[in-house]
Amino acid sequence: MRYGFLMAGLLLIAAPAQAEDHPRSTYVTLVLQAFAAKVECPGTDVVYQDLVQKAQQLHLPDGTTEKVRKAIAWMHTGGKMGEKQDDDLMAEVAVATQATDLNQRRLGMSSWCEAQKTNLAGLIRSKGG
C-alpha cells in the first residue's frame, strides 16, 4: 500500500516538471479538469470548441482534443466508452486523474468546483449560459 502512495507521489512531483516541457500534459490536465467539473460541479458544462481552440493555441496536432477525450472516457469507464490511446497519452491521463483527485480531496469538492470557475474560465460555463 505504501508503495502505491510513493509511486503516486513521485508521479505528482514529476508531473509539473514534465508539463513545462510537454504542453500536451498541461492540456490533458485542463481537459480532464473540465470534464470532472462537468460531472462533479452542479450546473457546469464544458465548452468543447474552446477546448479545441486551446489545443490550437498550444500548437498541438489536430485531433488532440478528441484523442484526449476518448482516453479520459476509456480510463474512467474501465474501457466501456472512449478508446484506449497510445501509452504516453494514457499515462498523462493517469497522472492528471491522480492530481485532480488529490486536489478534490485536499480542497473539498465545493471549494474545488469554485476554484475551477476561475482556473478553467472559457473552457467551462454554467449550464444554460
Side-chain angles (χ1 to χ4, degrees), residues 14 58 64 69 114 123:
L58 293 171
T64 297
R69 185 198 65 76
E114 196 59 37
L123 303 177

Side-chain angles (χ1 to χ4, degrees), residues 12-68:
L12 292 173
I13 290 167
Q18 181 183 0
E20 291 173 15
D21 296 331
H22 301 338
R24 188 176 76 175
S25 296
T26 301
Y27 181 72
V28 166
T29 300
L30 287 174
V31 174
L32 181 94
Q33 289 174 346
F35 282 110
K38 178 180 179 170
V39 171
E40 300 291 347
C41 306
T44 302
D45 208 354
V46 174
V47 183
Y48 187 85
Q49 188 54 41
D50 289 347
L51 293 175
V52 172
Q53 288 175 349
K54 182 67 172 177
Q56 291 169 343
Q57 289 172 358
L58 293 171
H59 305 290
L60 297 170
D62 289 344
T64 297
T65 302
E66 193 58 14
K67 285 181 180 182
V68 171

Side-chain angles (χ1 to χ4, degrees), residues 35-127:
F35 282 110
K38 178 180 179 170
V39 171
E40 300 291 347
C41 306
T44 302
D45 208 354
V46 174
V47 183
Y48 187 85
Q49 188 54 41
D50 289 347
L51 293 175
V52 172
Q53 288 175 349
K54 182 67 172 177
Q56 291 169 343
Q57 289 172 358
L58 293 171
H59 305 290
L60 297 170
D62 289 344
T64 297
T65 302
E66 193 58 14
K67 285 181 180 182
V68 171
R69 185 198 65 76
K70 287 178 180 179
I72 292 168
W74 191 87
M75 186 169 286
H76 287 258
T77 63
K80 293 179 182 163
M81 296 177 68
E83 295 174 12
K84 187 171 192 250
Q85 301 295 312
D86 66 73
D87 290 345
D88 288 344
L89 179 54
M90 296 308 293
E92 289 169 358
V93 171
V95 170
T97 297
Q98 289 175 335
T100 299
D101 185 55
L102 182 67
N103 284 336
Q104 288 171 340
R105 284 187 277 138
R106 182 177 55 85
L107 295 172
M109 196 56 72
S110 61
S111 294
W112 184 84
C113 286
E114 196 59 37
Q116 296 320 300
K117 291 178 185 176
T118 301
N119 296 342
L120 301 172
L123 303 177
I124 62 172
R125 66 173 177 224
S126 295
K127 284 185 181 174

